[in-house]
Amino acid sequence: QLQLVESGGGLVQPGGSLRLSCAASGFTLDYVAIGWFRQAPGKEREGVSCIRSRGSSTTYADSVKDRFTISRDNAKNTVYLQMNNLKPEDTAVYYCAKHRLPMCGNTWYRRNEYDYWGQGTQVTVSS
C-alpha cells in the first residue's frame, strides 16, 4: 500500500528552524517527484517546494525561497524540508505529496498534479 507520512512539525519561535520529513512506503521515492504544500487556517493549500526524481533539481515558492531547502535521502526513502528563519506567516499544516510525473514542471504548485498525499504535520511559528 502506497503511503506518505510527514513528521517533524511543532512550535517554534520566529527566526527558528524545523526540519520536516516525508517518509514513503509502498514505492521508491527515487523514481518520483515529491512536493511540499501547506495550508493555513481559512486559506487555500499552496505549493511550497518540489524535488524531481533521480536528482537534485528543486523549485520553491517565492515566499520561502532562500529560507527553505528540499532534499531527499534515497537510502531512507525520505524527502526533507529544512525550514530556516521561520516567520509567523509560515504557520500551517504541511503536507507532502507524490507527483504524477517524475519531474516537477512549471505547474508543480497545482494540487491536481499530485495523486497521493500524507496526513500533514502542524507547524506553528509564534513567540
Side-chain angles (χ1 to χ4, degrees), residues 116-127:
Y116 288 93
W117 293 78
Q119 83 290 346
T121 184
Q122 176 71 47
V123 172
T124 303
V125 185
S126 175
S127 54

Side-chain angles (χ1 to χ4, degrees), residues 7-13 17-20 83 86 90-92 94 121-126:
S7 62
L11 173 64
V12 63
Q13 292 186 343
S17 298
L18 282 174
R19 188 178 77 160
L20 306 183
M83 306 186 296
L86 282 160
D90 295 318
T91 295
Y94 283 71
T121 184
Q122 176 71 47
V123 172
T124 303
V125 185
S126 175

Side-chain angles (χ1 to χ4, degrees), residues 18-29:
L18 282 174
R19 188 178 77 160
L20 306 183
S21 299
C22 172
S25 60
F27 69 102
T28 302
L29 277 179

